[in-house]
Amino acid sequence: MTMTLTFLGAAGEVTGSCHLLTVGEHQILLDCGLIQGSRQAEARNREPFPFDPGTIDAVILSHAHIDHSGRLPLLVKQGFQGPVFTHNATAELCDIMLRDAAMLQRRDAERLNKKLEARGEPLVDPLFTEADVDALMALMVPLEYGQGREALPGVRFELADAGHILGSAIVQLWLGEAEGQRKLVYSGDLGRKGMPVIQDPAYIDRADLVVMESTYGDRLHRSLPDTLEELKGIFARAIETARGNILIPAFSVGRAQELLYLLHLHAKEWDLGRWRVYLDSPMATEATRVYVRHFRLCDDEFKAFTRQHPGRHPLLSNIEFVQTTEASMELNEVDRGMIVIAGSGMCNGGRIRCHMEHNLWRDEADVIICGYQARGTPGRALVDGAQSLNIGGKPVEVRARVHTVGGLSAHADRDEMTEWYRHFADAPPVILVHGEPEAQQSFAEHLGQYSRHLVVAQRFDCLDLTALPELVWLNSGLCGESFID
């Protein structure tokens, strides 16, 4: 039986996760995410899929983040009609996130079409619409962790907790039958041990091949206790000075809920009674309700704290939820004493842009960057020390204090990923995906101490899974760089 794996996205980059698995006559996608970053990078989302969407038999989705799920409505729009297997919490979060993405696609198309019409050029359609999201949601097959399932003949799989966000999954796949069977483990995005709210990532003991993320393969995160001290210091310094506003761009799913919990847990210690704290994101508010409903998926400490304080849910108290655009705009009249958590997490859209326009130029303001910032995004520019940002078509000087708090990352760092891999028996071959080239090369050199075969995937690489444990590439000359052989 023919079994191949082709890397079509998040290969040599972080976003746009998409991998094509062929088993006999069947084709399965592992994720189908949006490419994010610069305008040039995002324009690639309009390029044709390198396969006929109508020939894909099924999708297995690792988690709800847009760089893993965001092109699924487009896949359906272009002919896909098969099942989308995923965790039930991921299905609920996708319903929220993809509808928001469809709204943004519609608005972007409307703005662009005004310019195209004025120039007499052809108009464009949104990448996908709310109706495409409706069609996708009808194909979702929600599952639990540990629930074995046959996706197609010769393809059995099971989800394990990846510890990244609510519902995030490590995908274990058993391909083929009897002696020719191969086990593939796809890490999705790996979380970290000991972080608040979410369970630790599960360890897997056996695989014939591990397809593994490498986002932070070139660094170590600050410990959680040190990170909490860092946040405490930021708030204390802001109080000691003019107590201007504090802006926290945050991903609406995962990071926002973690921040709500920490602000609740440490409110007294951090003297947060001096501040008014706002969650200015309707999507994050809806996602928070999903976290509350799926309480049983959270870690033991979070569940115990919640049981000990009935009526004061740690994600719903001490926070003012901002829903309407009008209410969000009113916050811009406040010049001090306010903490605003808002999307988008990379500052390339959403309400955080408006808050930055009104606060970045203030010496007394602070910006806390606490998540991954893709190349080409305004958030990455801030991390890299930009002196100004273009917001609403005009430059805004950066005079606020910018703090990069890497210890809140939901991605495992170099040593955490290494520890996860070393729980596999017999050091199976590894293919690295979902990382920028420098991080991947650094991680490959480090992990090569423990792996027999390790390759950094490049886009369109195609691997013969029947040859495992040998790594045999079917498109010679295109395959990724091998560090161990």
Side-chain angles (χ1 to χ4, degrees), residues 380-392:
R380 181 63 166 261
L382 285 176
V383 169
D384 291 341
Q387 299 299 305
S388 69
L389 282 187
N390 189 298
I391 302 177

Side-chain angles (χ1 to χ4, degrees), residues 60-128:
I60 301 176
L61 175 62
S62 67
H63 66 288
H65 276 155
I66 290 295
D67 63 318
H68 291 256
S69 70
R71 278 195 293 173
L72 284 172
L74 181 62
L75 192 75
V76 173
K77 180 179 181 179
Q78 296 186 2
F80 171 72
Q81 297 180 326
V84 178
F85 299 104
T86 195
H87 192 275
N88 57 32
T90 296
E92 288 190 39
L93 291 171
C94 280
D95 197 21
I96 297 167
M97 298 181 74
L98 293 175
R99 290 189 193 286
D100 182 78
M103 179 268 294
L104 293 175
Q105 293 289 337
R106 174 169 48 79
R107 289 181 180 176
D108 287 347
E110 288 171 355
R111 282 193 291 266
L112 179 58
N113 282 338
K114 288 181 181 179
K115 297 177 182 178
L116 294 174
E117 188 174 25
R119 298 198 297 258
E121 298 179 18
L123 306 184
V124 299
D125 293 324
L127 195 64
F128 55 85

Side-chain angles (χ1 to χ4, degrees), residues 192-228:
R192 305 172 59 198
K193 289 178 62 176
M195 296 300 287
V197 182
I198 296 299
Q199 294 276 13
D200 293 348
Y203 291 119
I204 312 297
D205 59 5
R206 195 191 72 78
D208 294 303
L209 177 69
V210 179
V211 177
M212 187 174 177
E213 73 125 315
S214 52
T215 311
Y216 286 119
D218 60 345
R219 71 193 69 180
L220 303 179
H221 296 315
R222 180 170 291 190
S223 70
L224 181 59
D226 287 347
T227 299
L228 297 179

Side-chain angles (χ1 to χ4, degrees), residues 112-152:
L112 179 58
N113 282 338
K114 288 181 181 179
K115 297 177 182 178
L116 294 174
E117 188 174 25
R119 298 198 297 258
E121 298 179 18
L123 306 184
V124 299
D125 293 324
L127 195 64
F128 55 85
T129 67
E130 287 91 340
D132 299 318
V133 177
D134 288 337
L136 167 66
M137 295 311 300
L139 301 176
M140 288 279 186
V141 180
L143 302 170
E144 299 286 349
Y145 293 130
Q147 181 181 349
R149 184 70 181 252
E150 184 178 62
L152 295 164

